[in-house]
Amino acid sequence: MEKSNVPDFETATGTIDYGFTNDYVFRKILQENNDVLKALICSILHMKPDGVEVTVTNPISLGETFSAKDFILDVRVVLNDGRLIDLEMQMTNEYNWPDRSISYASRNFDQLKRGEYYIDAKPVHSIGFLNFTLFEDNPEFNALYQLLNVKTKRLYSEKFSIHVIDLSRIDLATEEDRHYGIDRWAKLFKTKTWEDLRMITKIMKQCKKLRTPYISSTQTQ
């Protein structure tokens, strides 16, 4: 039998060849690990995972389309309450993220069939993990964008939101970000060594046993 080239998780050391920020690895992990996908979404949307179910709506045959030119890199998900989620990992700044993220979210929001009521449209959340700062004059680790009145700041609708998580500025994580473990997810995605990966994974497993809805940074300090 041919020996596997896949490193053993418990004993591997040194640098990880392909980390979570590799768009293919990111796609593979979230598509094949429902619990990870659910925990990630619940953390970002500040939801308790109990009773939440997630389904990938654009699954692909992993391993067969990696080199295809039409490879779809975003992960589209529907929750059991009908909410639609679009996740993407973007490592290089192509200077089009605002337009690109709006396009993704808009496609998902255009979900009603002929004869259905607009009031029944399900909420849409676009979540982008970027390895660069979107707006250099106003850096932010975890930014939330919604439709609102520019004068009164009144929210126009809660059904459309765009989340931008800057993996290069984890240092700007707020207390709320840390409370829900969003900074810990970012560090997991940025992990470059097997030693760090085991440490972060251990913390996540401990939190799951305690049924906590978030991963507190204080547990690794």
Side-chain angles (χ1 to χ4, degrees), residues 50-111:
D50 296 339
V52 175
E53 297 178 8
V54 298
T55 303
V56 176
T57 62
N58 64 334
I60 60 172
S61 183
L62 294 167
E64 297 179 8
T65 47
F66 180 46
S67 60
K69 292 182 179 180
D70 60 347
F71 186 72
I72 300 174
L73 299 179
D74 63 318
V75 182
R76 298 172 189 168
V77 180
V78 61
L79 305 190
N80 54 318
D81 63 2
R83 272 184 278 187
L84 301 171
I85 317 292
D86 184 89
L87 305 101
E88 178 157 340
M89 181 73 70
Q90 183 69 25
M91 289 296 96
T92 58
N93 190 356
E94 298 179 0
Y95 303 96
N96 63 2
W97 188 256
D99 297 323
R100 185 173 174 176
S101 59
I102 291 173
S103 179
Y104 282 152
S106 298
R107 291 175 192 174
N108 282 327
F109 198 75
D110 187 17
Q111 63 201 245

Side-chain angles (χ1 to χ4, degrees), residues 34 38 43 74 79 90 124 141 168-169 186:
N34 193 268
K38 180 174 73 171
S43 178
D74 63 318
L79 305 190
Q90 183 69 25
V124 169
F141 167 63
S168 70
R169 295 308 308 264

